[in-house]
Amino acid sequence: MNVAVIGAGTMGSGIAITTVLGGHDICLIDVDEPRVALGEEHVARFLDRSISLGKLSADEGTAARDRVRYSTTMKDASDADVVIEAVFEDVPVKQALFAQLDDICRPDTLFHSNTSTLSVTAIAAGSRLPGRVVGTHYCNPAPLMKLVEVVPARQSSDDAVARTVEFLGSIRKSVVMAKDVPGFIVNRFLVPFENDCIRALEAGRADVETIDAAVTKALGYPMGPFTLLDTVGLDIHYAVSMSLFDQLHDPRFAPPPLVSQMIAAGELGRKTGRGFYSYDKKLAFGA
C-alpha cells in the first residue's frame, strides 16, 4: 500500500516510521527542504537505533529505508491509498490541506487527520468528499505507543472507518473508537493529570524523580509523567493544553507557568537534550 504522510515533524516522522515498519511504501512530505531533511534524520536515527538495540536486523533496516521517499511536492501524494496529515493543529490549515489534496488524490484515497484536540467533523468539511476523512490520533511517540484513537467525523462513511481500522491493523496498532469531542479519550484524561503533576513540582511537594517514581511504582504506569512529557516535548504539551483550555475553559487544562519558562529556555525534552531531565543525545523518540 502507498501511504503519504504530510508533515515531517516529530509526529509525522514518527507515523512514517510506524507505517514503513508495517511494510508499506511511504512518501514523507513537507513544505521545504530543511523540514524534510529533519524528518529524514528522525527516520534514519530511529532505524539505526533499532538496529543497534537488536529490534531490527540490518537487512530489515535497509529494506525499511528503501521504502521511504522524501518530497517537498504535494503532487507526490497522487498515488497514495492513504494520506495521513500531521500538520499544525489549526482547523483552517487542515481544511485547506484536504481541499488541495482533493485535486491531487484519487476519489477513493483515505484522508486521515492526526489531530489530538480539534473537531474531525470541522476538518472533514474542508474536503469535497468529507466521507473519506477519518480522525486517527496516534499516541505520542508514534513508533513506540501501540494505541491509535479512531475518531469518525459526522460525515465519515462506514466504509472509510472500516478501511481505516484495517489499515491500522496492518501496522500493528491497537484501536479504540472515540467520539469527536475535544481531547477524545486519552488527552481528556492525560493533559490535566500532567498539568497537576507539573503544579505539584512548582509547589515544591516533591521533585521530578520522586513524582515519576510514585506514579510508576504505585499507580503502575509504564513511565512517569515527566519522562513522558520529555518524550512528547514541552512545546507539544503546551499546544495541546492550550487547545483544550480554549475549547473547554477548564483551568486544569491550562499549562502551568513552568511550561512556558522551559519552552523559552529551549528545554523541550529529549529532542533538545534537556527538559525535566538531561540527555546525552538529542532524540526525537525514546527508542
Side-chain angles (χ1 to χ4, degrees):
M1 185 177 291
N2 290 321
V3 180
V5 179
I6 314 297
T10 300
M11 279 307 306
S13 56
I15 292 169
I17 290 165
T18 299
T19 308
V20 78
L21 290 177
H24 300 295
D25 294 321
I26 308 299
C27 186
L28 183 57
I29 302 171
D30 214 317
V31 294
D32 56 40
E33 290 290 351
R35 296 187 192 194
V36 170
L38 185 60
E40 185 171 3
E41 180 185 348
H42 287 168
V43 172
R45 190 178 292 173
F46 185 91
L47 294 176
D48 287 344
R49 186 166 172 78
S50 296
I51 292 168
S52 70
L53 293 174
K55 297 179 179 180
L56 283 180
S57 69
D59 287 346
E60 288 170 333
T62 298
R65 287 190 191 92
D66 290 344
R67 290 196 297 273
V68 187
R69 295 181 293 137
Y70 302 92
S71 176
T72 58
T73 303
M74 202 66 67
K75 289 183 179 179
D76 283 340
S78 63
D79 62 346
D81 302 297
V82 181
V83 174
I84 306 169
E85 70 81 6
V87 301
F88 185 68
E89 279 283 89
D90 181 86
V91 169
V93 169
K94 294 176 184 289
Q95 287 176 331
L97 174 62
F98 283 151
Q100 181 182 4
L101 289 167
D102 278 339
D103 295 327
I104 295 171
C105 298
R106 303 188 312 266
D108 64 336
T109 299
L110 280 174
F111 285 180
H112 288 172
S113 176
N114 183 55
T115 183
S116 57
T117 63
L118 302 177
S119 168
V120 180
T121 297
I123 293 167
S127 172
R128 292 195 302 271
L129 299 171
R132 60 159 142 192
V133 180
V134 180
T136 53
H137 174 226
Y138 289 72
C139 292
N140 196 352
L144 305 181
M145 303 296 282
K146 292 294 186 182
L147 188 72
V148 176
E149 294 177 299
V150 173
V151 188
R154 290 182 67 87
Q155 310 96 312
S156 300
S157 71
D158 292 343
D159 177 68
V161 173
R163 289 168 59 203
T164 295
V165 172
E166 181 180 6
F167 167 73
L168 292 169
S170 76
I171 59 173
R172 298 186 291 276
K173 291 296 186 184
S174 297
V175 168
V176 294
M177 303 299 296
K179 299 292 186 182
D180 188 16
V181 296
F184 312 134
I185 300 170
V186 172
N187 281 327
R188 196 69 173 258
F189 295 146
L190 178 63
V191 170
F193 170 71
E194 289 176 326
N195 284 334
D196 285 345
C197 292
I198 298 168
R199 291 187 186 98
L201 177 67
E202 286 182 323
R205 295 195 184 104
D207 60 21
V208 165
E209 292 82 1
T210 300
I211 294 172
D212 268 3
V215 169
T216 56
K217 296 181 185 303
L219 301 182
Y221 287 26
M223 73 174 65
F226 296 110
T227 301
L228 178 59
L229 284 161
D230 275 359
T231 303
V232 170
L234 271 293
D235 53 338
I236 302 299
H237 175 75
Y238 180 87
V240 171
S241 291
M242 284 304 302
S243 177
L244 289 172
F245 177 67
D246 289 343
Q247 294 177 77
L248 299 171
H249 308 292
D250 182 335
R252 288 190 68 210
F253 289 97
L258 179 58
V259 177
S260 296
Q261 293 172 1
M262 292 177 69
I263 292 171
E267 299 172 359
L268 306 184
R270 281 184 172 272
K271 59 188 172 185
T272 59
R274 184 174 179 81
F276 290 104
Y277 295 96
S278 295
Y279 303 90
D280 292 335
K281 295 181 180 180
K282 297 178 182 179
L283 294 172
F285 315 105

Coordinates of all heavy atoms in Angstrom, one line a residue, residues 183-214:
G183 N -10.3 16.5 22.8 CA -9.4 15.7 23.6 C -9.6 14.2 23.4 O -8.9 13.4 23.9
F184 N -10.8 13.8 22.8 CA -11.2 12.5 22.6 C -11.2 11.7 23.9 O -11.8 12.2 24.9 CB -10.3 11.8 21.5 CG -10.1 12.6 20.3 CD1 -8.9 12.8 19.7 CD2 -11.2 13.3 19.7 CE1 -8.7 13.6 18.5 CE2 -11.1 14.0 18.5 CZ -9.9 14.2 18.0
I185 N -10.4 10.6 24.0 CA -10.4 9.9 25.3 C -9.0 10.2 26.0 O -9.0 10.7 27.2 CB -10.5 8.4 25.1 CG1 -11.8 8.0 24.4 CG2 -10.4 7.6 26.4 CD1 -12.0 6.6 23.9
V186 N -7.9 9.9 25.4 CA -6.6 9.9 26.0 C -6.3 11.3 26.6 O -5.9 11.4 27.7 CB -5.5 9.4 25.1 CG1 -4.1 9.6 25.7 CG2 -5.8 7.9 24.7
N187 N -6.3 12.3 25.7 CA -5.9 13.6 26.2 C -6.8 14.3 27.1 O -6.4 15.1 27.9 CB -5.6 14.5 25.0 CG -4.3 14.3 24.3 OD1 -3.3 13.9 25.0 ND2 -4.2 14.4 23.0
R188 N -8.1 13.8 27.1 CA -9.1 14.4 28.1 C -8.7 13.9 29.5 O -8.9 14.7 30.4 CB -10.5 13.8 27.7 CG -11.6 14.6 28.4 CD -11.8 16.0 27.8 NE -13.0 16.6 28.3 CZ -14.1 16.8 27.6 NH1 -14.2 16.3 26.4 NH2 -15.1 17.4 28.2
F189 N -8.1 12.7 29.6 CA -7.6 12.3 30.9 C -6.2 12.7 31.2 O -5.8 13.2 32.3 CB -7.6 10.7 31.0 CG -9.0 10.1 30.9 CD1 -9.2 8.9 30.3 CD2 -10.1 10.8 31.5 CE1 -10.4 8.3 30.2 CE2 -11.3 10.2 31.4 CZ -11.5 9.0 30.8
L190 N -5.3 12.6 30.2 CA -3.9 12.8 30.4 C -3.4 14.2 30.6 O -2.6 14.4 31.5 CB -3.1 12.2 29.1 CG -1.6 12.3 29.2 CD1 -1.0 11.5 30.3 CD2 -1.0 11.8 27.8
V191 N -3.9 15.1 29.8 CA -3.4 16.5 29.9 C -3.6 17.1 31.3 O -2.7 17.7 31.9 CB -4.0 17.4 28.8 CG1 -3.7 18.9 29.0 CG2 -3.5 16.9 27.4
P192 N -4.8 17.1 31.9 CA -5.0 17.6 33.2 C -4.1 16.9 34.3 O -3.6 17.5 35.2 CB -6.5 17.5 33.5 CG -7.0 16.5 32.5 CD -6.1 16.6 31.3
F193 N -4.0 15.6 34.1 CA -3.1 14.9 35.0 C -1.7 15.4 35.0 O -1.0 15.6 36.0 CB -3.2 13.4 34.7 CG -2.2 12.5 35.5 CD1 -2.3 12.3 36.8 CD2 -1.1 12.0 34.8 CE1 -1.3 11.6 37.5 CE2 -0.1 11.2 35.5 CZ -0.3 11.0 36.8
E194 N -1.1 15.5 33.7 CA 0.2 16.0 33.6 C 0.4 17.4 34.2 O 1.4 17.7 34.8 CB 0.6 16.0 32.1 CG 0.8 14.6 31.5 CD 1.1 14.6 30.0 OE1 0.6 15.5 29.3 OE2 1.9 13.8 29.6
N195 N -0.6 18.3 33.9 CA -0.6 19.6 34.4 C -0.6 19.6 36.0 O 0.1 20.4 36.6 CB -1.7 20.5 33.9 CG -1.5 20.9 32.5 OD1 -0.3 21.0 32.0 ND2 -2.5 21.2 31.7
D196 N -1.4 18.7 36.6 CA -1.4 18.6 38.0 C 0.0 18.2 38.6 O 0.4 18.7 39.6 CB -2.5 17.6 38.4 CG -3.9 18.1 38.3 OD1 -4.1 19.3 38.2 OD2 -4.8 17.3 38.4
C197 N 0.6 17.3 37.8 CA 2.0 16.9 38.3 C 3.0 18.0 38.2 O 3.8 18.2 39.1 CB 2.5 15.7 37.4 SG 1.5 14.2 37.7
I198 N 2.9 18.8 37.1 CA 3.7 20.0 37.0 C 3.5 21.0 38.1 O 4.4 21.6 38.7 CB 3.6 20.6 35.6 CG1 4.0 19.7 34.5 CG2 4.4 21.9 35.5 CD1 3.6 20.1 33.1
R199 N 2.2 21.2 38.4 CA 1.8 22.1 39.5 C 2.4 21.6 40.9 O 2.8 22.4 41.7 CB 0.3 22.3 39.6 CG -0.2 23.1 38.4 CD -1.7 23.5 38.5 NE -2.2 24.1 37.3 CZ -2.8 23.4 36.4 NH1 -3.1 22.1 36.5 NH2 -3.2 24.0 35.3
A200 N 2.3 20.3 41.1 CA 2.9 19.8 42.3 C 4.4 20.0 42.4 O 4.9 20.3 43.5 CB 2.6 18.3 42.4
L201 N 5.1 19.9 41.2 CA 6.5 20.2 41.2 C 6.7 21.7 41.5 O 7.6 22.1 42.3 CB 7.1 19.9 39.8 CG 8.5 20.2 39.6 CD1 9.4 19.3 40.4 CD2 8.9 20.0 38.1
E202 N 6.0 22.6 40.9 CA 6.1 24.0 41.1 C 5.9 24.4 42.6 O 6.5 25.2 43.1 CB 5.1 24.8 40.3 CG 5.4 24.9 38.8 CD 4.3 25.7 38.0 OE1 3.1 25.6 38.4 OE2 4.7 26.4 37.1
A203 N 4.9 23.7 43.2 CA 4.6 24.0 44.6 C 5.6 23.4 45.6 O 5.5 23.6 46.8 CB 3.2 23.5 44.9
G204 N 6.6 22.6 45.1 CA 7.6 22.0 45.9 C 7.2 20.8 46.7 O 7.8 20.4 47.7
R205 N 6.1 20.2 46.3 CA 5.6 19.0 47.0 C 6.5 17.8 46.9 O 6.6 16.9 47.8 CB 4.2 18.6 46.5 CG 3.1 19.7 46.8 CD 1.7 19.2 46.6 NE 0.8 20.3 46.8 CZ 0.1 20.9 45.9 NH1 0.3 20.5 44.6 NH2 -0.8 21.8 46.1
A206 N 7.2 17.7 45.7 CA 8.2 16.6 45.5 C 9.0 17.0 44.3 O 8.6 17.9 43.5 CB 7.5 15.3 45.3
D207 N 10.1 16.3 44.1 CA 10.9 16.6 42.9 C 10.5 15.7 41.8 O 9.6 14.8 41.9 CB 12.4 16.5 43.2 CG 12.8 15.1 43.7 OD1 12.1 14.1 43.4 OD2 13.9 14.9 44.4
V208 N 11.1 15.9 40.6 CA 10.8 15.2 39.4 C 10.9 13.7 39.6 O 10.0 12.9 39.2 CB 11.7 15.7 38.2 CG1 11.6 14.7 37.0 CG2 11.3 17.1 37.8
E209 N 12.0 13.3 40.1 CA 12.3 11.8 40.2 C 11.3 11.2 41.2 O 10.8 10.1 40.9 CB 13.7 11.6 40.7 CG 14.8 12.0 39.7 CD 15.1 13.4 39.7 OE1 14.5 14.2 40.5 OE2 16.0 13.8 38.9
T210 N 10.9 11.9 42.2 CA 10.0 11.3 43.2 C 8.6 11.2 42.6 O 7.9 10.1 42.8 CB 10.0 12.2 44.5 OG1 11.3 12.2 45.0 CG2 9.0 11.6 45.5
I211 N 8.1 12.2 41.9 CA 6.8 12.1 41.3 C 6.8 11.0 40.3 O 5.8 10.2 40.2 CB 6.4 13.5 40.7 CG1 6.2 14.5 41.9 CG2 5.1 13.3 39.9 CD1 6.0 15.9 41.4
D212 N 7.8 10.9 39.5 CA 7.8 9.8 38.5 C 7.8 8.5 39.1 O 7.1 7.5 38.7 CB 9.1 10.0 37.6 CG 8.8 10.8 36.3 OD1 7.7 11.3 36.1 OD2 9.8 10.9 35.5
A213 N 8.6 8.3 40.2 CA 8.7 7.0 40.9 C 7.3 6.7 41.5 O 6.9 5.5 41.5 CB 9.8 7.0 42.0
A214 N 6.7 7.7 42.1 CA 5.4 7.4 42.7 C 4.3 6.9 41.7 O 3.6 6.0 42.0 CB 4.9 8.7 43.4

